[in-house]
């Protein structure tokens, strides 16, 4: 059976989530108070309805508790976001992901039942900053306040050397999880793996360790 998701709030973020889920073959219920937004996605998603997500009866009528995962992508209305999260938690929705506006919003959401909090604007800003500061960094994913994963293009300093020779783990405390080489992906590479120029390294570690790794291994 296809997995079932509900997305509440069809702004730029919520709409992009809907499209991504549909592309992956999921069933998606799209909900928004704005009829024009709902009509925009009506032909793209499985179901699209105009509804007030802060109305518990409306959500019950939609059978929201039967959905495996609900994503709350409500825009600037923090009160509506919090109330919707609270209602979903009380209705017994198993997985709830919520878009947060700020750290205070996140703290409240965590206490009332949100399983995962996302900061799309902040996260995109951090990723862009890393890309701008280092021409080698292709992508950046924050795992926690202190740990991250980066995709970085191997430098000339690394080319022609094995992971054992580079000794990234001992020197910097980071781990090379995988290497992308064209269409090939080398998962959990061996210590004897030779690094080639233009290889893309997927590295995990503490933020401070990753910074030292970038500073010392890249021009």
């Amino acid at each position: 059976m296809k997995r079932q998701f509900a997305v509440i709030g069809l702004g730029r973020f919520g709409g992009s989530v809907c499209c991504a889920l549909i592309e992956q073959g999921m069933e998606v219920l799209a909900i928004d108070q704005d009829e024009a937004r709902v009509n925009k996605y009506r032909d793209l998603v499985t179901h699209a309805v105009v509804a007030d997500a802060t109305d518990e009866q409306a959500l019950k009528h939609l059978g929201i508790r039967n959905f495996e995962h609900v994503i709350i992508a409500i825009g600037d209305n923090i009160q509506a976001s919090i109330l919707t999260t609270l209602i979903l938690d009380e209705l017994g929705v198993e997985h709830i992901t919520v878009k947060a506006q700020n750290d205070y919003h996140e703290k409240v959401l965590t206490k009332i039942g949100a399983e995962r909090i996302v900061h799309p604007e902040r996260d995109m800003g951090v990723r862009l900053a890393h890309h701008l500061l280092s021409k080698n960094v292709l992508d950046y994913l924050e795992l926690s306040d202190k740990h991250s994963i980066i995709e970085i293009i191997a430098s000339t300093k690394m080319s022609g050397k094995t992971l054992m020779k580079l000794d990234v783990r001992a020197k910097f405390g980071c781990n090379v999880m995988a290497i992308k080489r064209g269409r090939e992906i080398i998962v959990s590479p061996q210590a004897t793996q030779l690094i080639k120029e233009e290889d893309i390294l997927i590295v995990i570690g503490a933020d401070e360790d990753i910074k030292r790794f970038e500073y010392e291994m890249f021009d």
Side-chain angles (χ1 to χ4, degrees), residues 23-184:
E23 286 176 3
Q24 294 298 317
M26 304 298 111
E27 291 189 358
V28 179
L29 168 65
I31 304 169
D32 199 289
Q33 283 185 289
D34 188 321
E35 187 174 359
R37 285 182 174 179
V38 171
N39 288 336
K40 180 179 178 181
Y41 291 96
R42 195 176 296 281
D43 295 331
L44 297 174
V45 300
T46 313
H47 301 288
V49 297
V50 178
D52 179 2
T54 64
D55 183 340
E56 183 174 352
Q57 293 304 314
L59 292 180
K60 283 183 177 179
H61 181 71
L62 291 171
I64 202 75
R65 72 180 72 187
N66 298 319
F67 284 81
E68 176 184 344
H69 200 137
V70 179
I71 298 94
I72 302 172
I74 295 173
D76 297 329
N77 192 335
I78 291 179
Q79 182 176 338
S81 170
I82 291 171
L83 182 53
T84 302
T85 303
L86 186 60
I87 292 172
L88 292 177
D89 184 59
E90 290 181 345
L91 289 176
V93 175
E94 186 174 357
H95 301 294
I96 305 171
T97 294
V98 192
K99 173 187 174 183
Q101 297 297 319
N102 49 51
D103 291 339
Y104 172 75
H105 188 194
E106 177 177 1
K107 288 179 181 179
V108 175
L109 292 170
T110 301
K111 290 181 179 180
I112 62 174
E115 178 185 47
R116 183 181 180 188
I117 316 296
V118 293
H119 297 263
E121 289 86 1
R122 184 193 69 184
D123 293 346
M124 181 55 70
V126 171
R127 291 169 72 181
L128 176 60
H130 275 77
H131 181 69
L132 294 174
L133 291 171
S134 174
K135 64 181 181 180
N136 293 80
V137 174
L138 298 178
D139 205 354
Y140 171 91
L141 176 63
E142 185 180 79
L143 297 177
S144 69
D145 292 339
K146 296 182 179 180
H147 295 83
S148 304
I149 295 175
I150 63 167
E151 282 192 1
I152 193 162
I153 303 173
S155 66
T156 53
K157 290 182 181 180
M158 304 176 76
S159 179
K161 298 177 181 177
T162 64
L163 289 176
M164 182 185 297
K165 179 70 174 178
L166 293 171
D167 209 7
V168 175
R169 185 173 184 178
K171 290 181 179 178
F172 307 105
C174 302
N175 285 306
V176 178
M177 301 168 57
I179 299 171
K180 292 182 180 179
R181 183 173 293 159
R183 295 186 177 183
E184 180 186 8

